[in-house]
């Protein structure tokens, strides 16, 4: 009787193992089918103890998958954080190709789709490894990996060559996202500890074990220590945050109306902008007017009115000719920011009838609303009647239509003369310089690209009453960073969005960040250690609770044929008498029915 009970007890254990294995078969079939098109059980194989999880070819494919995952993630992160400058990218392509298309969004969608595809393949591979399956990647997926890799590398190389400054944007974004990326990376390492621990304890070669564990721990400890070198101006003591930067509408409110039109500037004032920015050119007959580009073809219908002069410099047109052009219809047809659908019918009708405004009209809008004015002044080409006197001509218009103290004078040509003529103008420089040079040049404000953002430099300039304006900031996370860094104002395309931000999107004290860092590392370390202990315990076949009779002589990965032999050997212990063969009966085998006591 004791022997029978012992064998039946072992039978229960073996049967439980068999049921657990078959319970996972649909899940494993789905994983193997999606990853390697191995939908049938005979097409796949488990990695036996001591065996590698895949062949050399499949190991190379898995390594290429991991490399493609990181490179595609790098490009996706790079391009998603560059959204602030998408409009520049699209206008560049417009100038190159001659027609408008939102290439930036297409590139983002393709990058997101390829990264999602690669990430799903990697998840399938990790799940298969967690189930102890040997990897086999279907050839179609291998082709997809190569396509994603080539796309990521090529796109990154081309954009790095054309927009190298965007890498500075990526570095700036890390000052906001790095704490959260750190949590995500550590969490990923904790998840990967399961398949790594599983295969670590199944390896029979110490060299492989040391290599796998050494690489894993090196990456893990590096992630644990990354916060030591992390810097963000948004991590500061409570009460040290300065006032929010004031907003200057870049060419007005170009998301709500055609850029550099009276309607655009009126919308910027309505949205709460403290200043208005524009670009000034002198017409052939000496009238300063608003135009950013050197030609008129992007923002007017010059191709319809003057088809033979589309490539002519904008300053070579007279004011009367400029008044014949429509400066708003292009906005509705091209929808550069994707915001036209949000406009009312009245706004669309008003936008469609906009004309090229003069500097005087622009200054009247600013003077009537008490807004600051910041503008670039483009010198006319050689041979233009006002190529030598364009500064005086512009200065006369300014003095006639607005209080000089409202004007941030940006042109650097003849600055001394301009200051002597009108000392109330706020002299503004577009370049960094030493404090001595700035004070000698009567500079009271700097107008800098956002990529030069530096909290230390802002504080240094502020100490001598030189304020800093950053351009062009349209994304909330960049505005948050400029706020925390101490910028006094920003030029923006999205004045209606940024004006609603009442506090930085990301702000915490050093103590709060340290607690976040320590908790993340401590919890992940505990989980990883627990996972390794679990796999070590299970592989050795040790009981998980006190008094357990369950034993695994060769671990849970014993060969399937051994378990079947145990079933049939035990089944002979207690077979129902009515199913035993009787003398003279056919010799066909009968399946034994096992009864449990």
């Amino acid at each position: 009787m004791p022997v029978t009970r012992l064998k039946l007890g072992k039978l229960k254990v073996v049967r439980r193992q068999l049921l657990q294995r078959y319970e996972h078969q649909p899940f494993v079939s789905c994983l193997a089918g999606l990853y390697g098109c191995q939908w049938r059980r005979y097409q796949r194989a488990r990695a036996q103890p001591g065996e590698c999880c895949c062949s050399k070819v499949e190991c190379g494919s898995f390594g290429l998958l991991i490399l493609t995952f990181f490179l595609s993630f790098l490009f996706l992160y790079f391009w998603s954080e560059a959204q602030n400058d998408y409009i520049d990218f699209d206008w560049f392509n417009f100038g190159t190709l001659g027609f408008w298309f939102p290439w930036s969004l297409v590139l983002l969608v393709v990058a997101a789709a390829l990264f999602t595809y690669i990430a799903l393949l990697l998840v399938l591979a990790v799940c298969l490894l967690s189930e102890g399956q040997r990897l086999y990647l279907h050839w179609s997926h291998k082709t997809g990996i190569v396509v994603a890799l080539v796309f990521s590398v090529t796109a990154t190389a081309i954009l790095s060559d054309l927009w190298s400054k965007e890498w500075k944007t990526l570095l700036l974004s890390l000052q906001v996202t790095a704490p959260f990326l750190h949590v995500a990376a550590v969490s990923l390492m904790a998840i990967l500890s399961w398949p790594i621990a599983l295969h670590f304890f199944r390896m029979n070669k110490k060299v492989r074990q040391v290599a796998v564990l050494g690489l894993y721990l090196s990456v893990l400890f590096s992630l644990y220590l990354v916060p030591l070198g992390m810097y963000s101006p948004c991590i500061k003591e409570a009460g040290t945050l300065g006032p929010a930067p004031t907003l200057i509408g870049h060419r007005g409110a170009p998301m709500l109306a055609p850029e550099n039109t009276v309607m655009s500037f009126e919308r910027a004032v309505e949205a709460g902008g403290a200043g208005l920015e524009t670009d000034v050119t002198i017409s052939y007959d000496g009238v300063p007017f608003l135009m950013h580009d050197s030609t008129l073809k992007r923002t007017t219908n010059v191709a319809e009115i003057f088809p033979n002069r589309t490539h002519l410099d904008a300053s070579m047109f007279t004011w009367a000719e400029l008044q014949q052009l429509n400066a708003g219809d292009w906005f509705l047809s091209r929808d550069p920011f994707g915001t036209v659908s949000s406009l009312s019918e009245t706004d669309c009708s008003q936008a469609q009838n906009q004309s090229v405004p003069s500097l005087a009209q622009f200054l009247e809008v600013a003077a009537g609303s008490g807004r600051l004015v910041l503008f670039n002044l483009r010198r006319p080409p050689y041979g233009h009647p006002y190529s030598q006197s364009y500064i005086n001509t512009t200065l006369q218009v300014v003095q006639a239509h607005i209080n000089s103290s409202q004007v941030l004078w940006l042109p650097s040509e003849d600055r001394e003369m301009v200051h002597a003529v009108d000392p109330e103008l706020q002299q503004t420089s577009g370049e960094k310089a030493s404090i001595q040079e700035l004070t000698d040049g009567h500079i009271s404000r700097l107008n800098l690209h956002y990529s030069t953002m530096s909290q230390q430099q802002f504080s240094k300039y502020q100490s001598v009453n030189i304020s800093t304006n950053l351009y062009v900031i349209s994304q909330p996370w960049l505005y948050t960073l400029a706020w925390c860094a101490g910028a006094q104002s920003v030029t923006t395309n999205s004045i209606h969005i940024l004006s609603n931000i009442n506090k930085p999107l990301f702000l915490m004290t050093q103590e709060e960040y340290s607690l976040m860092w320590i908790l993340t590392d401590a919890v992940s370390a505990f989980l990883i250690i627990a996972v390794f202990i679990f796999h070590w315990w299970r592989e050795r076949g040790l009981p998980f609770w006190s008094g357990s009779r369950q034993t695994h002589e060769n671990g849970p990965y014993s060969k399937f044929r051994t378990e079947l032999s145990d079933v049939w050997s035990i089944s002979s212990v207690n077979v129902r008498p009515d199913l035993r063969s009787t003398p003279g009966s056919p010799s066909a085998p009968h399946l034994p029915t096992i009864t449990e006591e």
Side-chain angles (χ1 to χ4, degrees), residues 196-275:
I196 289 176
L198 185 151
H199 289 277
F200 172 79
F201 288 112
R202 297 182 64 186
M203 293 178 180
N204 56 6
K205 293 183 179 181
K206 294 294 183 182
V207 176
R208 288 183 179 177
Q209 286 184 317
V210 171
V212 170
L213 187 62
L215 178 61
Y216 177 78
L217 293 180
S218 298
V219 175
L220 181 64
F221 289 147
S222 297
L223 290 175
Y224 282 167
L225 299 178
V226 159
L228 291 176
M230 198 176 295
Y231 164 77
S232 173
C234 294
I235 299 177
K236 55 176 56 186
E237 297 301 323
T240 60
L241 179 67
T246 56
L247 302 175
I248 297 177
H250 183 236
R251 307 172 199 168
M255 289 186 176
L256 304 177
E259 66 176 60
N260 279 336
T261 60
V262 172
M263 178 185 178
S264 183
F265 297 115
E266 290 175 345
R267 293 295 180 270
V269 171
E270 294 171 1

Side-chain angles (χ1 to χ4, degrees), residues 87 194 208 213 410 477 590:
I87 190 65
W194 184 273
R208 288 183 179 177
L213 187 62
L410 186 58
W477 72 265
H590 294 275

Side-chain angles (χ1 to χ4, degrees), residues 71-185:
L71 291 179
S72 60
F73 172 76
L74 175 63
F75 176 73
L76 178 60
Y77 181 81
F78 166 79
W79 193 238
S80 62
E81 294 302 321
Q83 288 186 44
N84 190 79
D85 301 322
Y86 277 5
I87 190 65
D88 297 333
F89 178 79
D90 290 334
W91 283 131
F92 171 82
N93 288 314
F94 172 81
T96 303
L97 303 175
F99 63 93
W100 171 262
F101 191 77
W103 297 105
S104 56
L105 292 179
V106 172
L107 198 58
L108 180 64
V109 170
V110 172
L114 289 177
F115 172 74
T116 302
Y117 168 66
I118 296 299
L120 288 176
L121 283 182
L122 189 59
V123 169
L124 291 174
V126 171
C127 290
L128 284 171
L129 291 174
S130 300
E131 289 292 326
Q133 296 290 319
R134 291 178 63 85
L135 295 182
Y136 172 77
L137 184 64
H138 195 259
W139 65 267
S140 60
H141 289 322
K142 293 176 181 177
T143 303
I145 291 174
V146 172
V147 170
L149 179 62
V150 171
F151 171 83
S152 300
V153 173
T154 304
T156 303
I158 293 176
L159 291 175
S160 297
D161 182 56
L162 296 177
W163 283 276
S164 58
K165 67 180 182 180
E166 292 302 330
W167 287 107
K168 296 181 180 179
T169 305
L170 184 143
L171 294 178
L172 286 176
S173 71
L174 292 177
Q175 296 181 13
V176 174
T177 62
F180 307 103
L181 290 176
H182 171 253
V183 173

Side-chain angles (χ1 to χ4, degrees), residues 354-370:
Q354 292 298 298
S355 59
V356 177
S358 66
L359 175 60
Q361 291 174 295
F362 165 71
L363 294 176
E364 289 172 359
V365 173
S369 57

Side-chain angles (χ1 to χ4, degrees), residues 335-394:
D335 193 11
F337 293 95
T339 54
V340 170
S341 60
S342 65
L343 302 181
S344 66
E345 186 176 343
T346 302
D347 287 340
C348 290
S349 177
Q350 184 180 358
Q352 193 171 19
N353 295 317
Q354 292 298 298
S355 59
V356 177
S358 66
L359 175 60
Q361 291 174 295
F362 165 71
L363 294 176
E364 289 172 359
V365 173
S369 57
R371 297 310 196 259
L372 295 175
V373 167
L374 171 67
F375 61 84
N376 291 302
L377 180 58
R378 194 170 65 85
R379 183 169 189 160
Y382 180 78
H384 190 281
Y386 292 86
S387 61
Q388 302 301 321
S389 59
Y390 72 102
I391 291 182
N392 284 327
T393 302
T394 303

Side-chain angles (χ1 to χ4, degrees), residues 236-553:
K236 55 176 56 186
E237 297 301 323
T240 60
L241 179 67
T246 56
L247 302 175
I248 297 177
H250 183 236
R251 307 172 199 168
M255 289 186 176
L256 304 177
E259 66 176 60
N260 279 336
T261 60
V262 172
M263 178 185 178
S264 183
F265 297 115
E266 290 175 345
R267 293 295 180 270
V269 171
E270 294 171 1
L276 304 172
E277 186 272 348
T278 189
D279 310 274
V280 178
T281 299
I282 308 296
S283 71
Y284 197 77
D285 52 351
V287 178
F289 67 98
L290 309 188
M291 183 60 55
H292 173 268
D293 298 359
S294 60
T295 66
L296 301 169
K297 63 179 183 178
R298 181 175 68 89
T299 57
T300 72
N301 62 339
V302 65
E304 299 176 8
I305 308 301
F306 304 104
N308 298 324
R309 303 170 66 185
T310 56
H311 296 286
L312 196 63
D313 194 283
S315 62
M316 302 306 288
F317 289 78
T318 65
W319 179 242
E321 292 172 333
L322 291 169
Q323 287 298 283
Q324 300 178 43
L325 302 176
N326 182 293
D329 194 51
W330 68 272
F331 175 77
L332 299 177
S333 60
R334 294 173 186 157
D335 193 11
F337 293 95
T339 54
V340 170
S341 60
S342 65
L343 302 181
S344 66
E345 186 176 343
T346 302
D347 287 340
C348 290
S349 177
Q350 184 180 358
Q352 193 171 19
N353 295 317
Q354 292 298 298
S355 59
V356 177
S358 66
L359 175 60
Q361 291 174 295
F362 165 71
L363 294 176
E364 289 172 359
V365 173
S369 57
R371 297 310 196 259
L372 295 175
V373 167
L374 171 67
F375 61 84
N376 291 302
L377 180 58
R378 194 170 65 85
R379 183 169 189 160
Y382 180 78
H384 190 281
Y386 292 86
S387 61
Q388 302 301 321
S389 59
Y390 72 102
I391 291 182
N392 284 327
T393 302
T394 303
L395 190 57
Q396 291 173 6
V397 174
V398 169
Q399 292 176 321
H401 292 87
I402 195 172
N403 190 320
S404 298
S405 62
Q406 292 177 241
V407 179
L408 309 180
W409 187 266
L410 186 58
S412 59
E413 294 85 355
D414 298 329
R415 190 182 294 277
E416 288 296 332
M417 180 273 292
V418 172
H419 179 71
V421 172
D422 194 344
E424 291 188 10
L425 293 171
Q426 297 187 45
Q427 295 297 325
T428 304
S429 175
E431 298 179 358
K432 289 183 178 180
S434 66
I435 291 180
Q436 186 63 43
E437 291 175 325
L438 295 176
T439 53
D440 290 346
H442 312 289
I443 303 299
S444 61
R445 189 182 294 256
L446 290 173
N447 185 52
L448 305 174
H449 190 265
Y450 72 83
S451 62
T452 63
M453 192 184 308
S454 170
Q455 183 178 11
Q456 291 75 15
Q457 289 186 340
F458 292 170
S459 300
K460 181 180 67 173
Y461 292 137
Q462 183 63 26
S463 66
V464 292
N465 294 322
I466 298 177
S467 57
T468 306
N469 178 70
L470 298 177
Y471 69 92
V472 173
I473 290 179
S474 300
Q475 290 295 311
W477 72 265
L478 258 180
Y479 180 68
T480 289
L481 200 59
W483 186 347
C484 294
Q488 283 72 45
S489 61
V490 299
T491 303
T492 178
N493 290 323
S494 57
I495 194 168
H496 61 298
I497 296 176
L498 300 187
S499 60
N500 294 322
I501 298 179
N502 299 318
K503 62 180 181 179
L505 301 181
F506 168 70
L507 182 65
M508 64 174 63
T509 64
Q510 184 62 49
E511 291 74 16
E512 291 173 337
Y513 175 63
S514 299
L515 180 62
M516 174 182 174
W517 169 28
I518 294 173
L519 280 178
T520 299
D521 291 357
V523 171
S524 65
F526 171 79
L527 292 176
I528 291 171
I529 292 173
V531 167
F532 271 82
I533 291 176
F534 170 77
H535 281 288
W536 171 80
W537 204 321
R538 189 176 70 170
E539 184 64 26
R540 288 178 172 268
L542 299 177
F544 282 94
W545 57 86
S546 177
S548 172
R549 295 182 180 181
Q550 180 177 343
T551 59
H552 301 259
E553 296 177 0

